[in-house]
């Protein structure tokens, strides 16, 4: 059973044991390939390396260590191609390669790496203390790379946009100068927009609650009643009340809804919602196209998601919504039709009130 999706998986057939009528020497518990230049190349130039590490059963799947053993070389500024030999032919998969600069130890690692301590952590931020800084270093945040992450350090200010490192993460090259300790703040900047949207939504909900509690007693509510905006009632869509608005109003609302469909959904949606709006404005039963269309599209969107998920069993990860682009389109059209329904109802009621 797959540990992530809980789906059953059929594994390939494997040979567990083979018996041969020969005697072999006991295998060594360690490996040392010696210097080899057929495992790695940089810009089509072989680079000598050696691989060492334990092979005893107690070591399990512990990785081996790859070390440079040839002459040092310099990389010029710009792009370079680092290519490892296919493990199926060489016997070794080079999964991680660290390129070092002068000032590192003989084993290819820095003599004194900075020590990073997480001082505080929120849902969208991190406060770090970096000690034992001896020179420039890379600070890596293991979140998917996104320019929304911002980093700043006391005494250095903004560290600039993150760089893609390790194939997925965010990294900042920190040049501390004479500083030996740093206080670094990492923040997910787009969250500020989210908080602003939540605040506006809360205010809107509060305003609706006030209107419900105050009702028709306030002067504002009474004025809105006069405009026909506070008359909630159940109506049959094909028996819409009100008269047909003037041609100018019909044209303005039709064009406006069409442009809204183009801007919010897709170009072809504009003419479709515009025609539905026009029918609702000039023909009373036509309002069913916007009201019924909105409800029907929301239901179709939900059914599409449920049926496609049952059929394909997509894993519930962060890429899950990407499998249902059609549902997004259907729901967006429904929203535009709801806006059209409000506009059509207001225009028709205005004609009745004016009459």
């Amino acid at each position: 059973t797959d540990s992530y999706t809980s789906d059953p998986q059929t594994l390939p057939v494997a040979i567990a044991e083979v018996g041969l009528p020969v005697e072999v020497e006991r295998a060594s518990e360690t490996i040392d390939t010696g210097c080899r230049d057929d495992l790695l190349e940089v810009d089509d130039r072989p680079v000598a390396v050696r691989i060492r590490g334990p092979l005893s059963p107690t070591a399990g799947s512990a990785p081996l260590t790859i070390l440079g053993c040839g002459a040092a070389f310099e990389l010029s500024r710009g792009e370079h191609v680092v290519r490892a030999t296919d493990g199926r032919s060489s016997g070794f998969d080079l999964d991680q390669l660290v390129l070092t600069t002068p000032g590192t130890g003989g084993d290819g690692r820095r003599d004194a790496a900075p020590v990073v301590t997480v001082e505080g952590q929120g849902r969208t931020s991190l406060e770090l203390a970096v000690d034992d800084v001896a020179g420039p270093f890379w600070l890596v945040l293991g979140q998917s790379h996104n320019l929304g992450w911002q980093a700043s350090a006391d005494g250095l200010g903004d560290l600039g946009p993150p760089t893609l490192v390790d194939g997925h993460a965010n990294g900042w090259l920190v040049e501390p100068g004479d500083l030996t300790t740093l206080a670094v703040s990492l923040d997910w900047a787009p969250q500020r927009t989210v908080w602003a949207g939540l605040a506006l939504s809360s205010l809107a909900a509060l305003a609706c609650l006030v209107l419900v509690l105050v009702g028709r007693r306030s002067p504002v509510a009474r004025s809105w009643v006069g405009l026909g905006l506070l008359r909630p009632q159940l109506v049959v869509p094909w028996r819409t009340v009100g008269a047909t608005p003037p041609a100018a109003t019909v044209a303005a609302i039709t064009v406006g809804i069409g442009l809204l469909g183009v801007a919010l959904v897709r170009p072809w949606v504009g003419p479709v919602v515009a025609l539905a709006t026009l029918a609702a404005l000039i023909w009373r039963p036509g309002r069913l196209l916007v009201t019924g269309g909105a409800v029907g599209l929301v239901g179709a969107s939900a059914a599409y998601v449920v049926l496609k998920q049952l059929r394909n069993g997509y894993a519930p990860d962060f890429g899950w919504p990407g499998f249902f682009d059609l549902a997004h389109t259907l729901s967006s059209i429904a929203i535009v039709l709801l806006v059209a329904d409000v506009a059509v109802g207001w225009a028709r009621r205005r004609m009745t009130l004016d009459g």
Side-chain angles (χ1 to χ4, degrees):
T1 302
D2 185 88
S3 60
Y4 184 70
T5 63
S6 298
D7 295 331
Q9 287 189 331
T10 302
L11 300 180
V13 176
I15 298 176
E17 184 177 355
V18 175
L20 296 175
V22 296
E23 294 183 0
V24 296
E25 296 182 2
R26 184 175 179 178
S28 172
E29 293 186 353
T30 61
I31 184 174
D32 189 338
T33 64
C35 245
R36 296 179 55 172
D37 62 0
D38 61 339
L39 300 176
L40 181 69
E41 61 180 34
V42 177
D43 296 334
D44 297 325
R45 179 174 57 179
V47 178
V49 297
R50 71 188 305 168
I51 297 177
R52 297 187 302 191
L55 288 181
S56 62
T58 57
S61 58
L64 303 176
T65 301
I66 176 174
L67 302 172
C69 57
F73 62 92
E74 294 184 0
L75 294 179
S76 59
R77 184 181 297 274
E79 291 187 355
H80 299 274
V81 178
V82 180
R83 182 178 290 110
T85 304
D86 191 337
R88 291 175 294 182
S89 59
S90 67
F92 296 98
D93 285 321
L94 305 186
D95 297 317
Q96 185 178 35
L97 186 68
V98 179
L99 304 181
T100 60
T101 56
T104 59
D107 61 353
R109 299 180 179 177
R110 291 189 177 275
D111 295 326
V115 177
V116 180
T117 304
V118 179
E119 298 288 343
Q121 180 175 358
R123 293 185 176 181
T124 60
S125 63
L126 285 168
E127 298 296 331
L128 310 176
V130 185
D131 301 310
D132 300 334
V133 178
F137 64 94
W138 280 93
L139 178 67
V140 178
L141 173 64
Q143 297 280 351
S144 297
H145 177 257
N146 194 297
L147 295 179
W149 282 105
Q150 295 181 350
S152 61
D154 292 348
L156 299 178
D158 187 8
L159 299 181
T163 300
L164 177 64
V165 297
D166 294 338
H168 80 286
N170 305 273
W172 291 268
L173 177 59
V174 182
E175 299 183 1
D178 297 331
L179 299 175
T180 58
T181 60
L182 292 172
V184 180
S185 297
L186 303 176
D187 295 289
W188 174 246
Q191 188 64 29
R192 302 166 191 166
T193 305
V194 174
W195 289 127
L198 292 175
L200 291 175
S201 299
S202 300
L203 291 175
L206 181 61
C208 292
L209 180 61
V210 171
L211 290 176
V212 171
L213 295 177
V214 173
R216 301 170 180 266
R217 290 175 294 176
S218 70
V220 175
R222 286 195 295 270
S223 64
W224 283 21
V225 169
L227 293 175
L229 297 178
L230 283 181
R231 288 184 176 178
Q233 55 183 321
L234 294 176
V235 296
V236 179
W238 54 86
R239 294 179 182 174
T240 305
V241 298
T244 301
T249 303
V250 171
I253 294 177
T254 301
V255 173
I257 295 299
L259 293 176
L260 188 64
V262 172
L264 295 185
V265 195
R266 299 179 186 275
W268 62 265
V269 172
V272 173
V273 295
L275 289 175
T277 304
L278 177 62
L281 287 167
I282 64 177
W283 183 43
R284 288 190 176 185
R287 192 173 178 185
L288 182 61
L289 295 175
V290 291
T291 55
V295 175
L297 288 175
V298 171
S301 176
Y304 170 76
V305 172
V306 172
L307 293 177
K308 191 173 182 180
Q309 177 64 30
L310 291 176
R311 179 179 179 182
N312 299 284
Y314 297 120
D317 55 20
F318 63 89
W320 185 83
F323 297 113
F324 308 98
D325 288 340
L326 179 59
H328 171 72
T329 301
L330 296 178
S331 300
S332 299
I333 298 175
I335 293 174
V336 176
L337 290 178
L338 287 176
V339 175
D341 181 56
V342 173
V344 169
W346 173 83
R348 282 185 167 277
R349 284 195 299 270
R350 284 290 299 170
M351 288 303 300
T352 302
L353 291 173
D354 291 343

